[in-house]
Amino acid sequence: MHPAPRVLRRALAAATVALLTTAVGCAPQPEEKAADTPSASAGNTCAQGKLATQASGKLTIATDEPAYEPWFKDDKPASGQGYESAVAYAVAKQLGYDKSAVVWQSVPFNKAFAPGEKTFDFDINQVSISPERKKAVDFSSGYYDVRQAVIALKNSKAAKATSIADLKNVKLGAQVGTTSLDYINDVVKPKQAAAVYAKNDQAKSALKNGQVDAIVTDLPTAFYITAAEVTDARIVGQFENQGGTPEQFGLVLDKGSALTSCVTKAVDALRADGTLADLEKQWLSDAVDAPVLK
């Protein structure tokens, strides 16, 4: 509380100043509250190209390395080629950042949604939205509805599976921390423990070498693997979505990020105007059908 200036000596003026000072001291102070959470105003305004990003005037986007097709073409996230690369730049444009203002960063898959402060503005890396992950990070609304699929070598016993029950006696593998692994453990519930790999590349090598009978990935990745990487493998089938809502990939942001609402608005706009559907048709058109395992 500041004392009244000495020049204000008259009792009436002193009383007036004291009254005003008391009122200010007791009233809510939104300016100070906003300072405690500097992101609040930026998150509400979503000013084009002027968000509270990691680097002023830049938008830092993260993904894993290597970056797999069909999500990124030729392991080059900055190319704009591949579904997730194209989506990332479309979101950036919605936020007011052109391609030259986008900075790419390499972040391992599991680290993207682990607890702790992030060094990126958002991460795009086939990360499924889940209540458990939401405890550590924020998500945008979903930019892709996904199903999980089983891949097996054409001459293996797993390749003959037509139901979930048929998979219980085979050796399955998946990348650590993925919903693919969750589907093995929670839906298939195989008699043998699933083989767990740090990256999809390791899971694919294990499949090639016969260390596992089958692996589980998202459906678009399964189509690419069988078409271009493990050509003697086939898609056995896909799983139905569990629960009432589809599994979705979302953009990952720091917990409580000021950008979350802005990024969500951008994704929602791209879904509403047909951009996401167009990009899906362009980059994921092969991933349209596979037998459903029940």
Side-chain angles (χ1 to χ4, degrees), residues 55-105:
S56 180
K58 301 287 185 180
L59 188 66
T60 303
I61 304 176
T63 196
D64 201 354
E65 185 180 5
Y68 301 107
E69 297 196 27
W71 310 106
F72 300 91
K73 189 172 178 60
D74 298 328
D75 191 20
K76 296 178 180 178
S79 69
Q81 304 290 299
Y83 182 73
E84 287 192 329
S85 182
V87 168
Y89 282 116
V91 170
K93 185 177 180 180
Q94 284 284 329
L95 296 174
Y97 297 88
D98 61 26
K99 194 170 183 179
S100 64
V102 172
V103 178
W104 285 92
Q105 185 180 98

Side-chain angles (χ1 to χ4, degrees), residues 186-248:
D186 300 337
V187 178
V188 179
K189 300 177 182 177
K191 294 180 179 179
Q192 301 180 62
V196 182
Y197 303 97
K199 291 182 177 291
N200 259 340
D201 273 349
Q202 295 172 355
K204 287 183 291 185
S205 295
L207 180 65
K208 285 181 181 179
N209 297 333
Q211 295 169 306
V212 292
D213 298 310
I215 61 173
V216 178
T217 71
D218 59 79
L219 187 57
T221 298
F223 271 96
Y224 180 76
I225 289 173
T226 54
E229 296 183 313
V230 189
T231 54
D232 57 342
R234 63 180 289 265
I235 296 175
V236 177
Q238 61 179 309
F239 295 105
E240 291 183 304
N241 284 316
Q242 303 300 300
T245 57
E247 178 185 351
Q248 292 185 313

